[in-house]
Amino acid sequence: MTAISRIDHIAIAVYSITEASKFYIEGLGLSIAKIEEMPERGIRTAFIAIGESMIELIEPLDNSNTSEISKFLAKRGPGLHHVAFKTENIGQSSQQLKAQGSRLVYEEPQQGAHQTRINFVHPASANGVLIELVE
Ligand code: ZN
């Protein structure tokens, strides 16, 4: 039995949330549900709700090129950063993935935004896409 229930969000790296969100707000009629700053990671994120799933826009907090997103943008430009799956049990999902041979980024789940627990599956284990697990 899988603990994965749905796609939680799809994250897109952008230079500017203000610029990038015009497509979603003016073009698609959606709206930003919440904006959050994570200074420790050097990023700001905006979540746009689409039904039960969300688009997460991630921009660097400054141009210092030190955050993971700055490096990502410098290397590849804006684009798909990760896909997040909602799991009802991150321990079970992690164990199942490890047993199958997948490489997780963190040994133990980390504290994510809004009381969530998260981990990442390395792109090498998931066809080149960074996968986030959210409980
Ligand atoms: Zn995410």
Side-chain angles (χ1 to χ4, degrees):
M1 259 304 283
T2 179
I4 301 292
S5 53
R6 62 180 167 85
I7 290 176
D8 188 80
H9 61 271
I10 293 170
I12 299 168
V14 300
Y15 290 113
S16 159
I17 285 172
T18 307
E19 284 304 310
S21 62
K22 285 178 186 167
F23 167 77
Y24 297 96
I25 296 169
E26 295 163 23
L28 296 175
L30 301 166
S31 54
I32 292 176
K34 60 195 172 199
I35 291 188
E36 191 170 342
E37 276 188 21
M38 290 180 235
E40 68 283 356
R41 289 175 63 197
I43 61 171
R44 182 184 292 114
T45 64
F47 283 93
I48 295 163
I50 304 179
E52 285 204 317
S53 303
M54 289 177 287
I55 294 289
E56 176 185 23
L57 301 177
I58 312 176
E59 72 175 9
L61 275 179
D62 56 54
N63 298 320
S64 60
N65 259 356
T66 51
S67 72
E68 51 179 301
I69 287 299
S70 302
K71 288 175 190 152
F72 181 95
L73 288 168
K75 205 167 148 189
R76 316 186 205 192
L80 179 68
H81 185 265
H82 64 267
V83 177
F85 297 149
K86 184 171 169 55
T87 172
E88 305 308 326
N89 185 333
I90 199 165
Q92 185 197 324
S93 294
S94 303
Q95 223 172 4
Q96 196 174 338
L97 282 162
K98 281 184 199 168
Q100 173 265 327
S102 282
R103 188 168 134 205
L104 298 186
V105 171
Y106 301 113
E107 193 55 43
E108 296 295 330
Q110 307 285 302
Q111 187 69 46
H114 309 285
Q115 263 59 283
T116 56
R117 296 202 305 150
I118 62 166
N119 205 339
F120 289 92
V121 181
H122 195 279
S125 298
N127 311 292
V129 178
L130 179 65
I131 302 289
E132 180 180 4
L133 301 170
V134 187
E135 181 195 82

